[in-house]
């Protein structure tokens, strides 16, 4: 089975950084044969995105690690056309934990939106009637207040990192676009920007997870 996951886009940068790092959890069926291919794309607003390079992670390389043990590496990409190694590299962190625990940790997300109006500035009250000020990361919850849109705490889970804006550009974390439903959001405000949004994240996990990890277990493969 193939699983395709996609990171958020970092615009207008030849040295993209994700802060905080994004996490991807990949189920492993065959430890010897399964592989994870990471592809680097150049975003194109008008045409198809262009593939720049790739590298391959083999779970068999990490499978002997102790649960909860993290491996940090700098891995160089290979050019998509020739397959030759290039100078571009990614800094990654790989962790293997029991697969049964994959659903026992969760990153919850909420977006906050504001619209710009001349002589008033940026404010949530400037949003149009059908534009919610707060929207959950999976788009299933919306509201005029943060609490209305925030995902509920799953039964048996506890908060390990409280709600906070992701500092994409500055400590406030705002990104800008020309439309509320825009696909591409930019780090800098411009004359065409009429809407801005920022992402709040909190991390929760099952109350038994920390103890299970400390006692050992089998496999889940995750990297970020």
């Amino acid at each position: 089975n193939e699983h395709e996951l996609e990171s958020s886009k970092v615009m207008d940068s030849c040295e993209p950084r994700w802060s905080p790092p994004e996490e991807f959890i990949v189920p492993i069926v065959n430890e010897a044969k399964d592989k994870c291919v990471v592809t680097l794309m150049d975003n194109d607003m008008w045409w198809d995105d262009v593939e720049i390079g790739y590298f391959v992670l083999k779970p068999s390389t990490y499978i002997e690690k102790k649960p909860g043990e993290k491996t940090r590496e700098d891995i160089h990409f290979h050019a998509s056309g020739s397959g030759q190694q290039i100078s571009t590299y990614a800094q990654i962190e790989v962790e293997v934990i029991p697969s049964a625990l994959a659903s026992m940790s969760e990153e919850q997300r909420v977006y906050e939106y504001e619209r710009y109006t001349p002589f008033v500035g940026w404010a949530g009250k400037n949003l149009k009637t059908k534009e919610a000020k707060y929207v959950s990361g999976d788009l299933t919850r919306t509201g005029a207040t943060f609490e209305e849109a925030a995902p509920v705490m799953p039964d048996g889970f506890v908060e390990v990192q409280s709600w906070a804006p992701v500092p994409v550009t500055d400590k406030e974390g705002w990104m800008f676009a020309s439309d509320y439903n825009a696909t591409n959001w930019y780090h800098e405000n411009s004359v065409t920007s009429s809407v801005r949004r920022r992402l709040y994240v909190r991390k929760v996990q099952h109350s038994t997870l920390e103890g299970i990890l400390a006692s050992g277990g089998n496999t889940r493969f995750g990297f970020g």
Side-chain angles (χ1 to χ4, degrees):
N1 295 329
E2 294 186 359
H3 298 267
E4 184 172 325
L5 305 171
E6 182 178 346
S7 73
S8 61
K9 295 179 176 66
V10 176
M11 310 302 293
D12 304 324
S13 175
C14 292
E15 297 182 355
R17 294 177 181 271
W18 285 263
S19 179
E22 298 196 9
E23 179 181 278
F24 301 91
I25 299 174
V26 183
I28 301 302
V29 177
N30 189 317
E31 297 173 1
K33 294 183 178 181
D34 286 354
K35 62 183 179 180
C36 178
V37 180
V38 179
T39 304
L40 177 65
M41 307 294 291
D42 180 25
N43 181 65
D44 193 311
M45 293 182 62
W46 309 111
W47 310 101
D48 293 337
D49 292 347
V50 178
E51 182 177 323
I52 297 175
Y54 68 93
F55 64 80
V56 179
L57 292 176
K58 296 182 178 180
S60 57
T61 305
Y62 308 97
I63 218 66
E64 297 302 323
K65 300 292 183 181
K66 295 180 180 179
E69 181 180 352
K70 298 180 179 180
T71 303
R72 295 183 179 180
E73 293 187 81
D74 294 344
I75 298 184
H76 281 269
F77 284 89
H78 293 263
S80 297
S82 64
Q84 295 182 342
Q85 181 173 297
I86 57 179
S87 59
T88 304
Y89 68 93
Q91 295 178 325
I92 68 166
E93 185 176 87
V94 178
E95 179 183 359
V96 177
I97 68 172
S99 58
L101 305 181
S103 60
M104 297 183 72
S105 61
E106 182 177 323
E107 183 178 87
Q108 297 182 323
R109 301 185 171 204
V110 171
Y111 287 101
E112 177 187 8
Y113 290 81
E114 291 186 346
R115 180 174 285 278
Y116 181 80
T117 299
F119 308 111
V120 177
W122 295 100
K125 64 182 180 181
N126 297 335
L127 292 167
K128 298 178 180 180
T129 304
K130 295 184 178 181
E131 296 174 344
K133 179 173 174 59
Y134 295 98
V135 181
S136 63
D138 60 4
L139 309 181
T140 61
R141 299 169 65 91
T142 62
T145 65
F146 189 95
E147 290 72 20
E148 290 175 327
V152 298
M153 180 75 73
D155 291 340
F157 278 62
V158 295
E159 183 177 86
V160 294
Q161 180 178 308
S162 58
W163 288 110
V166 178
V168 178
T169 52
D170 54 32
K171 64 180 181 180
E172 292 189 341
W174 292 108
M175 295 189 72
F176 303 86
S178 58
D179 182 73
Y180 183 89
N181 296 312
T183 301
N184 297 321
W185 292 78
Y186 299 91
H187 292 76
E188 297 182 358
N189 189 11
S190 72
V191 294
T192 62
S193 300
S194 60
V195 182
R196 69 179 185 177
R197 75 177 185 182
R198 59 181 169 181
L199 174 64
Y200 288 83
V201 169
R202 81 165 171 178
K203 294 184 178 181
V204 300
Q205 68 181 31
H206 197 276
S207 58
T208 61
L209 179 58
E210 185 174 349
I212 294 174
L213 287 176
S215 63
N218 292 317
T219 59
R220 177 184 79 171
F221 179 68
F223 70 96

